């Protein structure tokens, strides 16, 4: 059973190539995301204080 699970997991997981470069999204310096989060937190604060 463990063999089958390992085989299925291997088929579903993307494989990474050694030495290859991959793009990785990061919220670092994402001012739009920070603004949206600030808006959501403010609206949540208002909803709980009402």
């Amino acid at each position: 059973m463990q063999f089958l699970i390992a085989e299925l997991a291997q088929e579903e997981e993307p494989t990474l190539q050694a030495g290859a470069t991959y793009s990785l999204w990061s919220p670092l310096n994402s001012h739009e995301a920070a603004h949206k989060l600030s808006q959501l937190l403010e609206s949540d604060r208002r909803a709980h204080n009402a």
Side-chain angles (χ1 to χ4, degrees), residues 9-27:
Q10 188 176 23
E11 289 177 8
E12 292 182 9
E13 290 181 14
T15 56
L16 301 176
Q17 302 294 323
T21 58
Y22 298 93
S23 298
L24 178 63
W25 182 84
S26 171

Side-chain angles (χ1 to χ4, degrees), residues 2-5 9-11 15 18-19 22-23 25 27-28 31-36 38 41-42 44 49-50:
Q2 288 179 344
F3 173 76
L4 292 175
I5 293 171
Q10 188 176 23
E11 289 177 8
T15 56
Y22 298 93
S23 298
W25 182 84
L28 184 64
H31 303 291
E32 183 181 346
H35 180 68
K36 183 64 176 176
S38 178
L41 290 171
E42 181 63 24
D44 186 62
N49 288 336

Side-chain angles (χ1 to χ4, degrees), residues 38-50:
S38 178
Q39 288 178 327
L40 291 170
L41 290 171
E42 181 63 24
S43 66
D44 186 62
R45 183 186 65 81
R46 287 182 185 160
H48 283 56
N49 288 336

